Amino acid sequence: MQDNITASAPLAMLPKAPSGIDGLDEITEGGLPKGRPTLICGSAGCGKTLMGIEFLVRGALAYHEPGVLMAFEETSEELAANVASLGFDLPALQAQKLLRVDHVHVDRSEIEETGEYDMEGLFIRLGYAIDSIGAKRVVLDTIESLFSGFSNQAILRSEIRRLFRWLKDKGVTTIITAERGDGSLTRQGLEEYVSDCVILLDNRVIDQITTRRLRIVKYRGSTHGTNEYPYLISEDGISVLPVTSLRLEHKVSDQIVSTGISALDEMFGRRGFYQGSSVLLTGTAGTAKTTLAAAFAQEVCQAGGRCLYFAFEESPHQLIRNMLSVNIDLEAHVREGNLMIEASRPTLNGLERHLVTIHKLVRDFQPTAVVIDPISNLISVGNVNEVRSMLTRLIDFLKVSNITGLFTSLISGSMQMDTTEEGVSSLVDTWISVRDLEGVGERNRGLSILKSRGMAHSNQVREFIITDKGIELLDVVVGPTGIITGASRLVRQLQEQAQEVSARQELARKDRELERRRRVLEATIANLRTEFESVEEEFRQLNNEEHDRQKGQVMDRVKAARAFSPSDTSTPNNQQPNS
């Protein structure tokens, strides 16, 4: 036994043929098994034939792989007419030798009469069709027509295995359609075991709403999505919209989008929403959710962006008229082509149809923001889990496309503030709550930000009013019992104004008193100055008189001194001269 084990080369992955069907390649992780048969089974009306034809058309146009369609029930003319409404031009593809349509008529009575069945002729005919155009893809529609009326199960199983083995040996990627059986995927109960890939299509009606679902039952040699995925048949073909196809790997933007209300912008640390984020606006009826959404739509258009607005409660004309009364002019942006309003009742289509409609309009209109008003109405066409699944896919789709999404939702008065009926509050990036603030005999509107991922935000509940100039958020006024709103706010404002007037009057009175005291003091100072000047004059006079007196005395002494000085040589009488 060797001590060192040489590392083996990486194993080759199973080759796959892309189907070109929107979403199907994602859940199959690349497409159908290349060179192997795939079974598509389902009940009537679920789109088996259409999926097979689209597989051939997409392969011919997108991947340059010619295909062969062998039909056992419909003629080539009928098939071409059926799929023309989807934009598939089968005659043109046949003229370009990218497609060959062959109708094979199988007469059940001949099989029942003779009891013999040999598929050699089918192999020759199918092989010629494949070789004539170099086909890489084949569709057989449907397999029940080949074995209808056949009672010998041993021969039946043998021929089915032989057919699948022949297709594998031919190296063509094949789709075989089959009808749903009782208690099994197919009527014969064998095709699903010999197929390398089995796709089950289902057409359900729940609460009078039709929903088509797709599930990959098996896929040999490859991992795949195992859930049920809704799919739609629209004018563009089949669209499969899986949840798992949208991973949390999208890029984010640091660009900020304004809410449309400057005071509301100030409640966010970055003064608005992040571009590409999802915003939920919840509240009870009459709390101005639509007005806030319309203000956001107008701001997007004024900033040079484009907004797609889905209205489930109002017609476009009604919405434009109502918003004009609050100084929100949506019609101007509609005329300029920056705003598209799509209005319909939710019950017009199922959830998945609404989702595909949104996808299509987003691709065509290329908006920078999408508004859905309200998402709570979708509950009427699906249960909570279905609505949550649909909204999850929608939110992820918008995030991947870097489109800002704003959703309004109606909550009932019995629901808590931190819950929503659709259960999507945890999926969104920003959650704004608008609610009634009930006072004494009145109701007012309040707004608060419950969460905003990636930025600081205000925790205040701001009262707001709707005027003919738009939405105005009022400053918070706090009283002894909490936030003051409505008439109480007005009373408080009047009281504050009265206090301000009283304070101004008291200040004016004090100013007048100060002026009076200033004048009294100035008069007192003037009197004291006059008195001081009199005293000063008196002292000056006395000082002058004293000075004159002293000066006279000095003069007198000088005169006296001069009077006693000798004027001649005579001696005094009492003095005798010396002899």
Side-chain angles (χ1 to χ4, degrees):
M1 184 175 180
Q2 296 180 353
D3 295 334
N4 297 325
I5 301 176
T6 304
S8 59
L11 298 177
M13 302 298 293
L14 179 70
K16 296 186 178 183
S19 67
I21 298 175
D22 187 19
L24 182 59
D25 292 337
E26 298 177 9
I27 61 177
T28 57
E29 299 185 5
L32 304 182
K34 190 171 185 178
R36 300 187 184 188
T38 295
L39 179 68
I40 298 179
C41 52
S43 57
C46 61
K48 303 183 296 295
T49 301
L50 178 59
M51 182 170 287
I53 294 177
E54 186 167 356
F55 171 72
L56 294 178
V57 173
R58 303 296 184 195
L61 297 177
Y63 306 107
H64 308 289
E65 294 186 357
V68 172
L69 171 60
M70 183 165 282
F72 303 105
E73 293 182 343
E74 297 177 276
T75 65
S76 58
E77 292 78 9
E78 292 173 340
L79 290 171
N82 292 342
V83 300
S85 61
L86 305 178
F88 300 157
D89 191 352
L90 299 189
L93 293 175
Q94 293 181 76
Q96 300 172 21
K97 293 188 177 182
L98 294 175
L99 178 67
R100 186 182 180 102
V101 181
D102 192 2
H103 174 247
V104 179
H105 176 69
V106 179
D107 194 343
R108 296 179 54 183
S109 61
E110 294 180 0
I111 300 176
E112 293 173 355
E113 291 173 0
T114 61
E116 298 179 357
Y117 192 81
D118 188 4
M119 297 186 64
E120 195 63 35
L122 176 66
F123 294 156
I124 294 175
R125 188 165 179 172
L126 182 57
Y128 173 77
I130 293 173
D131 296 336
S132 64
I133 61 173
K136 302 296 183 182
R137 303 186 179 204
V138 172
V139 172
L140 300 180
D141 182 46
T142 66
I143 196 172
E144 281 76 22
S145 300
L146 286 174
F147 305 106
S148 59
F150 219 83
S151 58
N152 192 327
Q153 293 295 319
I155 298 178
L156 176 63
R157 289 175 178 268
S158 175
E159 291 299 318
I160 290 178
R161 289 193 181 96
R162 184 183 174 199
L163 173 63
F164 278 70
R165 174 51 56 187
W166 185 88
L167 292 169
K168 281 188 177 181
D169 294 340
K170 199 66 177 175
V172 291
T173 306
T174 308
I175 284 182
I176 301 173
T177 65
E179 298 176 2
R180 185 76 178 268
D182 296 332
S184 60
L185 295 179
T186 61
R187 288 189 178 183
Q188 311 302 335
L190 178 64
E191 299 93 320
E192 59 265 36
Y193 295 101
V194 296
S195 300
D196 288 82
C197 179
V198 178
I199 299 176
L200 175 63
L201 304 182
D202 190 16
N203 191 14
R204 306 175 189 173
V205 179
I206 302 175
D207 294 334
Q208 302 180 356
I209 301 297
T210 300
T211 303
R212 293 183 171 94
R213 304 264 177 188
L214 178 148
R215 180 168 65 93
I216 301 177
V217 179
K218 63 181 283 190
Y219 198 138
R220 289 174 180 165
S222 174
T223 57
H224 57 86
T226 58
N227 298 329
E228 279 193 332
Y229 304 100
Y231 69 96
L232 289 172
I233 300 176
S234 64
E235 59 273 11
D236 296 324
I238 293 178
S239 299
V240 185
L241 303 169
V243 177
T244 55
S245 65
L246 296 174
R247 303 179 184 273
L248 297 177
E249 298 174 352
H250 55 272
K251 296 181 180 180
V252 296
S253 172
D254 289 332
Q255 185 178 355
I256 298 299
V257 180
S258 173
T259 65
I261 304 170
S262 58
L264 181 57
D265 288 341
E266 295 175 357
M267 297 180 67
F268 292 91
R270 297 289 303 274
R271 296 186 59 83
F273 310 133
Y274 282 118
Q275 172 69 35
S277 62
S278 53
V279 182
L280 179 64
L281 185 61
T282 62
T284 55
T287 51
K289 300 182 297 297
T290 300
T291 305
L292 290 167
F296 170 72
Q298 178 179 246
E299 177 63 27
V300 170
C301 296
Q302 289 178 345
R306 311 185 80 186
C307 182
L308 181 58
Y309 195 112
F310 291 91
F312 289 147
E313 292 183 336
E314 298 177 277
S315 68
H317 296 292
Q318 182 181 2
L319 179 65
I320 291 172
R321 182 203 64 187
N322 294 346
M323 292 303 104
L324 193 60
S325 66
V326 292
N327 198 32
I328 298 177
D329 188 3
L330 299 180
E331 186 175 8
H333 302 297
V334 173
R335 289 195 306 267
E336 294 172 358
N338 295 327
L339 176 64
M340 175 184 288
I341 303 176
E342 182 71 14
S344 65
R345 289 293 182 187
T347 52
L348 176 65
N349 298 305
L351 289 174
E352 307 310 323
R353 181 69 179 182
H354 281 297
L355 184 57
V356 167
T357 300
I358 295 173
H359 276 234
K360 184 177 183 301
L361 290 177
V362 166
R363 287 195 300 267
D364 295 342
F365 189 64
Q366 295 293 316
T368 56
V370 171
V371 175
I372 299 182
D373 178 37
I375 59 174
S376 49
N377 282 19
L378 297 174
I379 294 294
S380 61
V381 291
N383 57 42
V384 174
N385 291 332
E386 291 172 342
V387 173
R388 179 183 175 87
S389 175
M390 178 263 194
L391 292 176
T392 300
R393 295 195 299 276
L394 175 59
I395 290 173
D396 287 342
F397 169 69
L398 296 178
K399 283 181 176 290
V400 169
S401 305
N402 195 31
I403 297 174
T404 307
L406 187 144
F407 314 98
T408 69
S409 177
L410 175 68
I411 60 175
S412 61
S414 60
M415 297 181 66
Q416 296 181 1
M417 183 186 67
D418 56 350
T419 61
T420 57
E421 193 170 0
E422 309 82 20
V424 297
S425 55
S426 61
L427 301 176
V428 298
D429 300 307
T430 301
W431 185 4
I432 300 175
S433 173
V434 287
R435 47 182 164 155
D436 290 323
L437 303 176
E438 295 189 9
V440 180
E442 64 179 8
R443 284 189 174 185
N444 303 293
R445 298 182 178 94
L447 181 148
S448 62
I449 302 173
L450 299 185
K451 76 171 185 178
S452 185
R453 291 172 177 163
M455 69 174 68
H457 55 86
S458 172
N459 62 349
Q460 292 181 331
V461 178
R462 297 283 297 275
E463 182 186 2
F464 67 95
I465 58 176
I466 302 177
T467 68
D468 55 358
K469 296 182 180 179
I471 295 178
E472 178 183 354
L473 268 67
L474 305 178
D475 294 332
V476 176
V477 177
V478 181
T481 59
I483 297 177
I484 299 176
T485 62
S488 299
R489 171 194 286 272
L490 180 59
V491 171
R492 179 65 176 267
Q493 290 176 347
L494 293 176
Q495 292 176 348
E496 291 178 350
Q497 291 175 359
Q499 291 175 356
E500 290 178 359
V501 171
S502 177
R504 287 196 298 269
Q505 291 176 348
E506 179 65 18
L507 183 60
R509 187 190 65 79
K510 290 182 178 180
D511 289 341
R512 292 193 300 271
E513 178 67 17
L514 180 62
E515 179 64 20
R516 185 186 64 80
R517 291 188 178 185
R518 185 184 65 80
R519 290 196 299 268
V520 171
L521 289 175
E522 287 179 351
T524 303
I525 292 172
N527 293 333
L528 291 175
R529 182 177 290 110
T530 302
E531 183 179 353
F532 174 76
E533 290 175 353
S534 299
V535 173
E536 184 182 26
E537 180 65 23
E538 182 179 356
F539 275 107
R540 186 181 297 110
Q541 183 68 27
L542 293 175
N543 186 39
N544 291 334
E545 292 176 354
E546 179 64 20
H547 179 72
D548 293 341
R549 186 183 65 79
Q550 292 179 359
K551 185 177 179 182
Q553 290 177 354
V554 171
M555 293 298 294
D556 291 341
R557 283 196 297 268
V558 171
K559 291 178 179 180
R562 290 178 178 175
F564 286 103
S565 62
S567 60
D568 52 27
T569 59
S570 61
T571 60
N573 295 326
N574 57 350
Q575 291 183 1
Q576 293 296 326
N578 292 330
S579 54

